Amino acid sequence: MAHNLADLFEHAADAYGDDRLAVVENDRRLTYTGLDEEANRWCSVLADLGVGAGDHVAVHLRNGVDCLALILGILKLRAVPISVNYRYSGAELRYLYDYSDACVLVFHREFGAAVAGAAEGLDSVRHTIAVDDGSGVEPLPAGALDARALLAAASPERPDVERSADDLFLVFTGGTTGKPKGVMWRQEDLWRSLGGGADYHTGEPVPDEFHQSRSGLAGDPMRYLILLPLIHTSGLMPSFTGLFAGGTMHYIPHFRADEALEEIESEKIQVAVVAGDAMVRPIIERLRECGADTSSMFMISSGAALFSPSVKSDLLGLRPDLMIMDAFGSSESGFGGLGVVTKADLDDGSLFTDHGPRIPRGTTLQLVDDFDEPLPDDSTEIGWIVKSGYQPSGYYKDPAKSAETFREVAGTMRVFTGDRGRYDGPATIIMLGRGSQVINSGGEKIFAEEVEAALKAVDGIVDAVVLGIPDERFGHRVGAVIEWAVGHDGRFDEVEASLRGSLAGFKVPAALWVVEKVERHPSSKTDYGWARKLVADRAPDHDRRTRRERGTDQDRRTDVEGASA
């Protein structure tokens, strides 16, 4: 046996058998034995189509039993699952299929037309398989196979495959600032970093590959509601961590706040895995309306997206006994740290004292300057967050980007996460935001995430994306795309007044674009490409620069004392 994700799941299936539920999706409820057999059927289907070790299989599915079982079946074969962003279409979808070298595409029928257009003529794609989702969508790609018929004829027996800890797992980035990239992980390193193969606080490896399945026998199974997509590591790896330890994973194919609350109440969910504000805010609004019983839930764990202090405060106001876990990490770095927030942080005011989440450094996180020199622990400078420990081997088919992201600092290989932060004592880093989203306005560095959090705290604003917009005087100014709450009257002067209570004047957006819905990736990460295109295509709905045609910018005089004038 090896430290391999498929082996680790099989250990759990052997330990829990038919005695525990493994996965729930609406009326589909599979025990560990049932999920193992369904994964084996997918394994048999793919093997019959000629898929073997090292082959790439594209997973173009929403959350649910089929998605989880397919991924496990691919791993059982030593093949490589390729996660497909189901919001992609056209050229971007074709790019991912081609770049990833997928030989088989498995998709829900609702995506049939997009798959047909994107896969046509690609030599690498040998087969497409349609999974029935009740949509009845036509047309499908020419020659598409029916998953239901294939699975009905497939064997539920485990394949006789000897796996390796070195087997490849490709994690695809969300493509928030460009085309998606494949990050190459050894399966053991991914497990150690994100799958419970090491202590999340100390980094100490677990004693053996049976540790998780053995420890899960000691108590009742935990019930998890995974709202993040399985095609994203922030959804898949918590699922694997829970499964390896005997938990029950609950999924709903489409995120809707009312359905999430219904699942929490009816299934007595204990832990919900979410994507920050984008999911928690509508849950809070619906919870206020319906008063659902969420008393079974003791923890909400967030990853992949901003979870602002104002939304945490609203949640703790409704559920003061709740523990909030804010996970820091990325496709490249794996697990980076956990920020823990409780009502005590709300009561003592510390929830609102920092620009971003406070992350324990542990033994792996460090700050370096622009020349890759480590910053001393007592430094007050803003630096780049780098991580040591378990990490990928590089980017798929991109050695130049690999050399840029994975490099030595003081004799140790580090992942340059692209995030900026500063020390808050020797044990903690305050995460300020992505370096790629820093706005340089007349020499002042402004973190987009800080302004986004402030906008979301304004009454009437449901969601916001912040980005730099060209400005003749300062090079760039802050711009924002905002979504009003239903029925809000949209007073821009009130927004500006509210922001000035928490932000320096030069950080207040100079221009605002209003949309019916802020677009996000399935993981709820910000879609900056969409925002940049929107801002370039039309004039803002509000631009306060028109009031300063003579160049007398009060914000700049007040906040930076004319240094940029």
Side-chain angles (χ1 to χ4, degrees):
M1 290 292 183
H3 293 154
N4 179 286
L5 298 172
D7 288 336
L8 291 159
F9 168 71
E10 289 181 352
H11 297 340
D14 291 340
Y16 306 116
D18 275 323
D19 294 332
R20 287 194 186 182
L21 274 177
V23 58
V24 175
E25 176 203 354
N26 297 324
D27 295 332
R28 297 185 71 181
R29 308 172 79 88
L30 297 184
T31 65
Y32 272 81
T33 296
L35 178 58
D36 189 38
E37 291 178 347
E38 190 71 0
N40 294 337
R41 291 187 183 95
W42 273 113
C43 186
S44 174
V45 165
L46 295 172
D48 288 346
L49 294 176
V51 175
D55 287 333
H56 296 185
V57 179
V59 180
H60 196 151
L61 301 172
R62 292 189 185 273
N63 278 11
V65 172
D66 291 309
C67 187
L68 183 61
L70 170 62
I71 291 171
L72 287 168
I74 295 168
L75 295 173
K76 281 171 176 276
L77 268 183
R78 299 187 69 188
V80 183
I82 303 298
S83 56
V84 177
N85 183 331
Y86 46 69
R87 281 190 51 207
Y88 285 176
S89 61
E92 57 190 352
L93 187 58
R94 185 176 181 84
Y95 167 81
L96 181 56
Y97 287 166
D98 186 36
Y99 162 67
S100 67
D101 299 314
C103 65
V104 174
L105 309 179
V106 184
F107 62 95
H108 272 136
R109 289 183 69 97
E110 68 169 299
F111 307 122
V115 173
E120 183 179 2
L122 286 181
D123 293 337
S124 60
V125 178
R126 302 197 301 264
H127 302 283
T128 60
I129 303 175
V131 176
D132 187 15
D133 55 10
S135 66
V137 168
E138 301 288 351
L140 297 177
L145 304 170
D146 179 63
R148 184 162 42 191
L150 294 174
L151 291 169
S155 171
E157 300 300 318
R158 285 183 185 172
D160 184 14
V161 176
E162 185 174 346
R163 307 177 190 110
S164 168
D166 294 327
D167 286 349
L168 177 66
F169 194 100
L170 273 175
V171 174
F172 278 82
T173 63
T176 53
T177 58
K179 291 182 178 179
K181 300 177 290 294
V183 183
M184 300 184 295
W185 282 85
R186 290 179 67 249
Q187 286 197 28
E188 178 175 11
D189 289 338
L190 185 63
W191 170 56
R192 297 289 192 192
S193 179
L194 283 170
D199 186 281
Y200 287 129
H201 300 284
T202 66
E204 184 70 23
V206 299
D208 59 62
E209 64 192 281
F210 298 95
H211 173 77
Q212 287 164 285
S213 57
R214 184 171 60 240
S215 63
L217 292 169
D220 293 330
M222 292 282 289
R223 297 179 296 279
Y224 300 82
L225 176 58
I226 309 293
L227 295 174
L228 276 159
L230 283 166
I231 57 167
H232 193 281
T233 49
S234 294
L236 182 62
M237 296 313 295
S239 297
F240 279 171
T241 303
L243 284 172
F244 297 161
T248 301
M249 304 298 114
H250 293 251
Y251 302 100
I252 52 179
H254 300 79
F255 170 71
R256 297 185 180 94
D258 55 346
E259 291 184 13
L261 286 170
E262 182 180 341
E263 191 79 5
I264 291 169
E265 183 171 24
S266 63
E267 298 289 344
K268 307 300 181 188
I269 297 298
Q270 295 165 296
V271 178
V273 179
V274 302
D277 293 359
M279 290 182 174
V280 177
R281 195 160 198 163
I283 287 175
I284 290 172
E285 291 172 358
R286 183 62 185 138
L287 184 57
R288 284 172 174 157
E289 294 171 0
C290 70
D293 180 5
T294 62
S295 58
S296 61
M297 189 171 66
F298 70 88
M299 180 190 298
I300 191 160
S301 177
S302 175
L306 175 69
F307 199 172
S308 59
S310 60
V311 178
K312 291 176 182 174
S313 175
D314 288 345
L315 180 60
L316 290 170
L318 293 173
R319 285 291 313 276
D321 58 329
L322 203 62
M323 179 185 294
I324 297 174
M325 305 291 284
D326 213 352
F328 165 68
S330 68
S331 304
E332 292 87 348
S333 66
F335 176 76
L338 282 175
V340 181
V341 176
T342 66
K343 191 172 184 297
D345 300 293
L346 179 62
D347 292 340
D348 65 17
S350 61
L351 181 59
F352 293 96
T353 57
D354 299 324
H355 293 301
R358 301 173 75 253
I359 308 297
R361 287 179 61 184
T363 58
T364 62
L365 295 183
Q366 187 178 25
L367 294 178
V368 300
D369 63 17
D370 291 340
F371 303 98
D372 295 357
E373 292 295 327
L375 294 178
D377 289 349
D378 60 354
S379 172
T380 59
E381 290 183 48
I382 293 174
W384 296 96
I385 301 176
V386 298
K387 178 180 177 291
S388 60
Y390 304 108
Q391 56 191 255
S393 58
Y395 289 103
Y396 186 58
K397 299 194 292 191
D398 196 341
K401 183 65 175 175
S402 298
E404 176 186 335
T405 304
F406 307 98
R407 57 186 194 263
E408 277 194 14
V409 172
T412 301
M413 284 300 297
R414 307 273 178 165
V415 181
F416 281 68
T417 67
D419 294 301
R420 301 282 270 169
R422 63 177 173 81
Y423 288 133
D424 183 31
T428 306
I429 291 175
I430 296 174
M431 182 180 169
L432 299 175
R434 296 290 293 175
S436 59
Q437 300 307 322
V438 171
I439 301 163
N440 188 333
S441 181
E444 292 292 334
K445 302 298 194 296
I446 303 163
F447 290 93
E449 288 93 335
E450 178 189 2
V451 183
E452 287 175 3
L455 279 165
K456 292 177 185 181
V458 174
D459 182 43
I461 294 181
V462 173
D463 204 355
V465 177
V466 170
L467 67 170
I469 56 174
D471 184 86
E472 289 184 4
R473 188 175 183 205
F474 300 111
H476 286 86
R477 292 290 293 272
V478 178
V481 181
I482 63 171
E483 176 188 337
W484 294 119
V486 176
H488 197 269
D489 58 6
R491 291 285 302 276
F492 294 115
D493 56 341
E494 293 179 357
V495 171
E496 185 173 331
S498 178
L499 290 175
R500 289 180 183 279
S502 59
L503 294 176
F506 65 86
K507 298 179 182 180
V508 175
L512 297 170
W513 285 257
V514 179
V515 294
E516 290 187 7
K517 183 71 176 176
V518 167
E519 296 290 337
R520 291 185 173 274
H521 291 282
S523 64
S524 292
K525 283 188 175 181
T526 303
D527 190 340
Y528 287 105
W530 164 83
R532 284 194 294 267
K533 185 176 186 304
L534 182 143
V535 165
D537 286 349
R538 69 174 173 89
D541 295 278
H542 172 71
D543 193 338
R544 62 190 177 90
R545 291 174 295 180
T546 59
R547 305 200 305 264
R548 304 188 174 94
E549 294 175 347
R550 298 181 184 178
T552 56
D553 193 324
Q554 183 64 38
D555 291 337
R556 196 64 51 161
R557 291 206 315 269
T558 300
D559 293 307
V560 298
E561 300 178 344
S564 303

